[in-house]
Amino acid sequence: MNNRLLLLFCGLGLGLACAAAWNAPRRPAPYPRIRAAGRREMDDPPRHWDQVDEQGDESFPASDPPGNY
């Protein structure tokens, strides 16, 4: 009987240790390079670029639209 209880508690302890290791916070990945707004800062700029495109690029990722409409 004592051996079974010992195995049970060892199994529970191992399960808790595995769950704690699985749910442990992971180190975040390094942040990617954030480019400045504008067509000149793009790696592969589009051929057509107008004022609306420029305003949208300058406002990204903010949720506020450009204020000059």
Side-chain angles (χ1 to χ4, degrees), residues 1 4 8-9 14-15 20-21 30 34-35 40 42-43 49-51 60-63:
M1 184 74 168
R4 288 184 182 174
L8 177 66
F9 285 129
L14 183 61
I34 306 295
R35 70 168 177 85
R40 288 176 290 186
M42 294 181 180
D43 292 335
W49 189 259
D50 59 9
Q51 184 180 6
F60 184 82
S63 61

